Amino acid sequence: MSGAVSNSLEGPDGGRPGWVAVLALWTNNLMVIGITKGLGIMLPILQIQLTSQMWILGWIASLTIATSGFVAPFGGLVSRRFGAGYAMMTCGVMMSAAAIAGSFVENSLQLALLYTLLAGTAIGISSVVAKEAVGRCFTKNYATANGIARTGFSVGLIVFAPLIQLFLDTYGWRGTMLLVGAITMHFVASGAVMVATRQPELDQSNAYQTLPQTEHTNSSSAHESTLRSHCGSLWKFVSKNFEVGLLLNSHYWLVAVISCCTIYAYLMWIVYFVSQAQSNGFTLEEAGSFVTIAGIANLFGTISQGLITDRGVMSSWTLVAVCLVMSSVSYLASSLLTSYWAMMTSAVLILFIEGVLSCQTDVLVKQVLGVELLAGAFGWIALKVTLLLVALGFLPGLVYDLTGSYTAAFLLIGSVQAVPLVPLLMLRYSQR
């Protein structure tokens, strides 16, 4: 965050700066879905209009997400150098520029450069900056605030799919990209509100602020001393946060395993669930209804988890452990279900629990590593998830090709979801 303020600005827990940060993260999540989901919906028409192959266009969407993971570790450095609000505004402009300029492309290479370099970079930086802002402002109600902000993903999935289809039918794909870019520009406004609202101060030992003006402008020694001091602060921040992602922080690696396995299992379910449901005898329309209802359950999951932990009904450790067990069992059972309501129940459980875990893993990161390492932790986790998807994203599909059944593939996904129980117990033991 930029600017030093007194603690009174934070309020009892979050205060105005905190809810402004929640709004910024909610808007970021909404716009990320708009950019990525919008491109996915336009793939068939882009294949025709750009005379390209589907795998190339699908690869562009994958590269956009991959780029966001590769640049995420630098999000904290950008935030501290320029301020969270200005970083968010810049990322909003970059995302909007990618979509608007994309409306003028003539081939898939131009589209790939725009979306990977502009949109991918902006998504990676803004996601880390916004998540850190919320984590810095909230203590007691962090799970609730994080859950509210994450509903932006759910709202985006509900709103953008029919909206973009309407745009395509009315204005064509070029007009649709222009409109998506215009909608994404609203992200700039949320960053501007953060600039206008002074945020809680950073730990100055880890912050890198712009050089202050000194009254002795003619004193070269004073300038040299100030520059040396701020370079030292920058080096402290870089070394401490990059230490998080390397082999120097065992607690980080434990929470990273929990986050990476949970995200990997969820994304693999998203990719393969419809095909798996059809192989179990369900129609495409029935599989779509499973996803739609489960998406609504995901929305309730992100909201309810904060009420459970922040109100003291259940601790984060217990809630995460219960959800990991239930989610793993649901993944394992999913490929064996042939009853409509049994499959519906499985899908609802999986996405409801994903809504809970996506928020609670962030809570665990903050509890274990503390506020000052949030940016580094979130950035490195995003990078590791990207590397995991690149290296092993094909594995369930390969298992299906080799066995001819999704049973083994979903057995693999369920096993991956159960792995975080081990580091969770290790973390809980070490925290006692």
Side-chain angles (χ1 to χ4, degrees):
M1 318 290 175
S2 59
V5 298
S6 65
N7 291 334
S8 62
L9 283 173
E10 298 183 41
D13 190 44
R16 183 182 177 187
W19 292 110
V20 167
V22 169
L23 174 63
L25 180 55
W26 186 91
T27 307
N28 173 77
N29 295 338
L30 181 71
M31 298 310 167
V32 167
I33 292 297
I35 289 290
T36 56
K37 186 69 174 178
L39 182 61
I41 293 174
M42 288 187 285
L43 288 183
I45 192 171
L46 289 175
Q47 180 186 16
I48 298 172
Q49 295 295 323
L50 299 180
T51 60
S52 181
Q53 297 181 6
M54 183 60 74
W55 72 268
I56 294 177
L57 296 172
W59 193 38
I60 293 174
S62 299
L63 283 176
T64 301
I65 302 301
T67 301
S68 70
F70 288 129
V71 303
F74 301 97
L77 181 61
V78 172
S79 175
R80 283 159 173 75
R81 178 61 183 88
F82 301 104
Y86 290 112
M88 301 279 277
M89 292 175 66
T90 303
C91 290
V93 171
M94 291 172 66
M95 279 193 275
S96 180
I100 292 174
S103 66
F104 299 98
V105 301
E106 299 295 337
N107 54 64
S108 56
L109 176 60
Q110 295 172 350
L111 185 67
L113 291 174
L114 287 172
Y115 266 73
T116 54
L117 297 181
L118 292 179
T121 301
I123 290 171
I125 297 296
S126 64
S127 296
V128 171
V129 172
K131 288 172 68 175
E132 186 203 22
V134 174
R136 188 174 296 280
C137 291
F138 288 90
T139 303
K140 180 180 177 182
N141 295 312
Y142 176 51
T144 300
N146 196 27
I148 293 173
R150 281 187 175 270
T151 61
F153 285 123
S154 302
V155 173
L157 289 172
I158 294 171
V159 170
F160 272 105
L163 187 63
I164 290 174
Q165 191 60 57
L166 174 64
F167 289 163
L168 285 172
D169 295 339
T170 307
Y171 303 105
W173 73 272
R174 293 188 187 274
T176 298
M177 281 196 165
L178 285 172
L179 289 170
V180 170
I183 293 173
T184 308
M185 189 64 76
H186 287 80
F187 187 34
V188 179
S190 65
V193 175
M194 288 190 71
V195 172
T197 305
R198 291 188 298 170
Q199 300 288 322
E201 63 182 354
L202 289 167
D203 178 356
Q204 296 302 313
S205 65
N206 292 329
Y208 177 53
Q209 309 289 345
T210 54
L211 296 180
Q213 296 294 326
T214 176
E215 296 178 359
H216 306 288
T217 55
N218 295 326
S219 175
S220 59
S221 60
H223 278 292
E224 183 179 350
S225 176
T226 303
L227 180 62
R228 187 181 298 111
S229 173
H230 285 278
C231 286
S233 296
L234 174 61
W235 174 248
K236 277 186 179 181
F237 167 75
V238 172
S239 60
K240 191 171 184 179
N241 281 273
F242 273 71
E243 172 186 317
V244 170
L246 303 176
L247 295 173
L248 305 178
N249 193 314
S250 59
H251 284 176
Y252 161 77
W253 276 93
L254 294 176
V255 294
V257 169
I258 296 172
S259 296
C260 290
C261 289
T262 300
I263 295 172
Y264 175 83
Y266 164 67
L267 292 178
M268 293 301 98
W269 183 89
I270 289 292
V271 171
Y272 295 104
F273 172 73
V274 173
S275 297
Q276 178 259 321
Q278 288 181 289
S279 71
N280 282 15
F282 297 100
T283 66
L284 183 60
E285 291 74 16
E286 289 174 330
S289 68
F290 296 150
V291 175
T292 301
I293 301 300
I296 298 174
N298 179 265
L299 182 63
F300 284 103
T302 58
I303 297 174
S304 63
Q305 55 82 33
L307 300 176
I308 293 172
T309 57
D310 290 343
R311 302 300 178 269
V313 177
M314 187 182 296
S315 69
S316 293
W317 303 96
T318 304
L319 181 59
V320 171
V322 170
C323 286
L324 286 173
V325 172
M326 293 178 63
S327 180
S328 180
V329 171
S330 298
Y331 283 127
L332 293 172
S334 182
S335 62
L336 304 175
L337 302 176
T338 56
S339 167
Y340 180 88
W341 291 109
M343 182 63 84
M344 177 70 78
T345 302
S346 173
V348 167
L349 275 176
I350 287 172
L351 285 200
F352 179 89
I353 292 172
E354 193 282 329
V356 174
L357 290 176
S358 64
C359 298
Q360 285 299 314
T361 49
D362 289 350
V363 173
L364 289 180
V365 170
K366 184 179 179 182
Q367 287 181 353
V368 173
L369 298 178
V371 174
E372 295 304 323
L373 294 179
L374 275 181
F378 288 147
W380 282 103
I381 287 173
L383 175 61
K384 287 175 173 60
V385 169
T386 299
L387 294 175
L388 183 62
L389 291 174
V390 171
L392 300 177
F394 68 92
L395 197 54
L398 177 62
V399 172
Y400 172 76
D401 290 337
L402 294 176
T403 63
S405 170
Y406 277 106
T407 301
F410 274 73
L411 177 64
L412 169 67
I413 295 173
S415 301
V416 170
Q417 182 67 97
V419 168
L421 285 169
V422 176
L424 182 69
L425 293 175
M426 294 174 65
L427 280 174
R428 184 56 175 161
Y429 177 78
S430 66
Q431 293 291 306
R432 288 185 179 277

